Amino acid sequence: MALVVDDEPDICELIGITLSRMGIDTQSAHSIHSARQLLGRQVFDFCLTDMRLPDGDGIDLVRHINATLDQLPVAVITAHGNMESAVEALKAGAFDFVSKPVDLKSLRKLVNSALKLNQPGEERAAEVADDAPVLIGESQALHKVRSMIAKLARSQAPVYISGESGTGKELAARMIHRQGPRRTHPFVAVNCGAIPQELMESELFGHRKGSFTGAHADKEGLFQAAAGGTLFLDEIADLPLHMQVKLLRAIQEKHIRPVGASTEEPIDVRIISATHKALSEKVASGEFRQDLYYRLNVIELAIPPLRERPEDIPPLTGWILDRQALRWGMEKPAIAPEAQVLLSRYPFPGNVRELENILERALTLTEQNRITAEDLQLPGTGGRSETGQGNTPLEQRLEAIERTAITEALEATHWNRTAAAKRLGMSFRSLRYRLQKLGIDQSE
């Protein structure tokens, strides 16, 4: 059952007919007062409200529903081009918005997405695989992050994830996608800093055959690849100004124009962005458009650095060692108590990614499947240096250093091997040889 709130009977009738063809019954209300009365008497699966009502603002109804019926998805109908109202509604807790005149195809997609949120728990749980992304840890800070992710998953609002490098921003984005109604559609991640500027428009929006030298065939862009799902724009601060204008238009109009195309095409993606840089400072300095910043930063999710939640280090250590042992086909190593103490005291400027690299190196250097404080090689702890003493052969130590550097570069470029080779200052062929030599899985 859906509740449609609009003071124009014709709009209520049109929406009612559309939803009835989807097998959904509707009830109409023509004011906030009557809508509240119906909400108090009856259970609804979805609510759609106009912004302007005789006795108030539709955003007031959104706030009322979020305060009293937080499991009820509510969407708003906004005036054409009025993105300010749409953003305000999303910040107030609206699931999504649709503009007047109401496009019935877009409305049907919106309703289907909203109803997926109300699937029975067993059905939704069955869709979450054992390898679903998860943030490891039991600190209060991480509990708050996971709680926020659960709330964000019930919305279609753009999300901006802030946090230092290596904190798990992409992991959080994947969790939002996996727990939301778009989970059966693609999650597409792109590092904005790893795409050459001259190719960025084509990569994001696609191109038509013959639109430029080398365009031998039509190619879909990342927006099309993420159709129905989520597009994660990592390192959004690195987006050049000319592309910021085009991205802003895509978000506002929900249409894109592939390079060389004569017409625009509609898009249906949720945008999640992230960067380790202070985006507000980029706005202040004129390097990032303020209007785009407000469109992307409808809701901000801040991921705390690892040094602020040291109680998460032991469970993270166990999880990482489990994964590495499985990956290398070996028994999970033990970790000496003094090594665990050192890890808990270390500030981890590189956050979780640095912890992974430290443990992978230690796993390579350990001689009795037991990681000691010396194996960790933590800076300032008096352990062996990366070129230092110990009984480990020099070749093995150098291999561990090489493996760490390559893995860091691949992770920083989301396993884009061309970009990683450039970052490492080597040719693509040289990197490919080292990947084969070190046995690093190139499909990760």
Side-chain angles (χ1 to χ4, degrees):
M1 176 70 73
L3 173 62
V4 180
V5 187
D6 199 301
D7 61 343
E8 297 183 41
D10 290 346
I11 296 290
C12 291
E13 184 178 359
L14 174 64
I15 293 173
I17 291 171
T18 301
L19 297 189
S20 68
R21 290 173 178 170
M22 298 172 65
I24 301 169
D25 295 328
T26 61
Q27 284 204 27
S28 299
H30 304 301
S31 66
I32 292 178
H33 177 71
S34 57
R36 287 190 177 190
Q37 287 185 321
L38 284 170
L39 289 166
R41 294 197 304 261
Q42 190 169 340
V43 176
F44 292 94
D45 300 307
F46 173 68
C47 177
L48 179 65
T49 179
D50 193 14
M51 288 290 284
R52 293 188 176 182
L53 295 163
D55 56 346
D57 195 314
I59 293 180
D60 294 332
L61 183 59
V62 172
R63 293 194 180 101
H64 169 74
I65 289 174
N66 272 271
T68 59
L69 301 164
D70 62 349
Q71 296 301 306
L72 175 62
V74 53
V76 296
I77 304 173
T78 65
H80 178 70
N82 192 344
M83 276 300 296
E84 285 71 23
S85 294
V87 170
E88 187 180 355
L90 292 170
K91 287 188 174 182
F95 166 77
D96 205 348
F97 70 93
V98 62
S99 299
K100 289 183 177 179
V102 177
D103 178 73
L104 298 183
K105 183 178 179 181
S106 298
L107 176 63
R108 284 191 287 268
K109 285 183 178 179
L110 185 151
V111 173
N112 279 326
S113 293
L115 294 179
K116 284 182 181 179
L117 292 172
N118 295 322
Q119 290 179 349
E122 296 80 4
E123 185 176 347
R124 293 189 65 195
E127 295 183 3
V128 180
D130 292 338
D131 61 347
V134 62
L135 287 167
I136 303 295
E138 295 301 325
S139 64
Q140 185 177 0
L142 209 57
H143 276 298
K144 288 182 179 179
V145 169
R146 285 196 289 258
S147 176
M148 185 68 170
I149 286 173
K151 292 179 181 178
L152 294 176
R154 295 186 59 82
S155 168
Q156 296 299 293
V159 176
Y160 167 61
I161 304 177
S162 60
E164 298 176 4
S165 291
T167 51
K169 296 187 291 294
E170 181 175 340
L171 186 57
R174 289 183 182 276
M175 289 175 68
I176 293 170
H177 171 78
R178 195 65 176 266
Q179 294 178 28
R182 294 178 178 269
R183 59 190 173 275
T184 56
H185 296 280
F187 177 93
V188 177
V190 54
N191 187 327
C192 297
I195 303 175
Q197 289 195 20
E198 62 273 14
L199 298 178
M200 189 164 286
E201 185 174 0
S202 170
E203 286 294 312
L204 288 178
F205 305 137
H207 64 248
R208 295 289 179 261
K209 180 180 178 181
S211 56
F212 55 85
T213 303
H216 302 302
D218 288 354
K219 177 191 174 185
E220 71 171 17
L222 296 169
F223 270 89
Q224 295 98 323
T230 301
L231 180 61
F232 176 57
L233 300 173
D234 198 7
E235 299 304 343
I236 190 70
D238 294 334
L239 199 67
L241 282 169
H242 77 280
M243 283 305 303
Q244 293 177 27
V245 178
K246 296 178 183 294
L247 177 60
L248 176 63
R249 176 173 174 77
I251 293 172
Q252 291 188 159
E253 303 298 328
K254 296 187 177 182
H255 280 75
I256 60 170
R257 186 193 299 271
V259 178
S262 58
T263 58
E264 293 186 330
E265 57 184 66
I267 53 168
D268 174 29
V269 298
R270 183 182 190 181
I271 301 292
I272 300 179
S273 58
T275 182
H276 72 281
K277 299 177 181 178
L279 204 53
S280 57
E281 294 180 6
K282 292 281 186 180
V283 172
S285 65
E287 298 174 77
F288 200 87
R289 291 181 64 98
Q290 186 178 53
D291 46 7
L292 177 58
Y293 173 69
Y294 288 130
R295 295 295 180 266
L296 294 171
N297 191 18
V298 173
I299 304 173
E300 181 174 352
L301 174 65
I303 310 295
L306 190 54
R307 64 180 172 275
E308 293 181 5
R309 46 189 181 95
E311 61 268 46
D312 290 338
I313 294 174
L316 269 169
T317 299
W319 180 79
I320 293 168
L321 291 177
D322 273 330
R323 191 177 65 166
Q324 293 290 359
L326 182 64
R327 184 178 175 186
W328 292 5
M330 59 182 289
E331 184 181 348
K332 178 184 175 181
I335 182 163
E338 64 273 14
Q340 191 67 72
V341 169
L342 277 180
L343 287 173
S344 297
R345 293 175 178 173
Y346 183 65
F348 286 104
N351 293 292
V352 180
R353 184 179 297 135
E354 184 180 9
L355 175 60
E356 288 181 312
N357 290 335
I358 286 171
L359 291 174
E360 182 172 3
R361 181 177 62 219
L363 199 57
T364 303
L365 299 179
T366 187
E367 297 170 2
Q368 296 179 340
N369 210 35
R370 183 174 184 270
I371 295 174
T372 65
E374 193 178 36
D375 292 326
L376 295 175
Q377 299 185 354
L378 296 180
T381 62
R384 292 179 301 195
S385 68
E386 291 181 346
T387 59
Q389 303 86 24
N391 298 320
T392 305
L394 176 62
E395 183 179 350
Q396 190 174 347
R397 293 201 298 271
L398 292 175
E399 183 178 294
I401 296 169
E402 186 177 21
R403 178 190 296 277
T404 299
I406 290 175
T407 302
E408 286 178 348
L410 287 167
E411 288 176 345
T413 58
H414 294 279
W415 290 79
N416 181 320
R417 295 192 295 278
T418 302
K422 184 177 180 181
R423 189 183 184 97
L424 291 164
M426 63 174 65
S427 68
F428 176 79
R429 179 177 296 180
S430 178
L431 175 61
R432 187 171 59 184
Y433 167 76
R434 284 172 165 81
L435 291 172
Q436 292 172 347
K437 175 187 172 185
L438 297 171
I440 298 176
D441 187 356
Q442 301 180 52
S443 66
E444 290 187 353

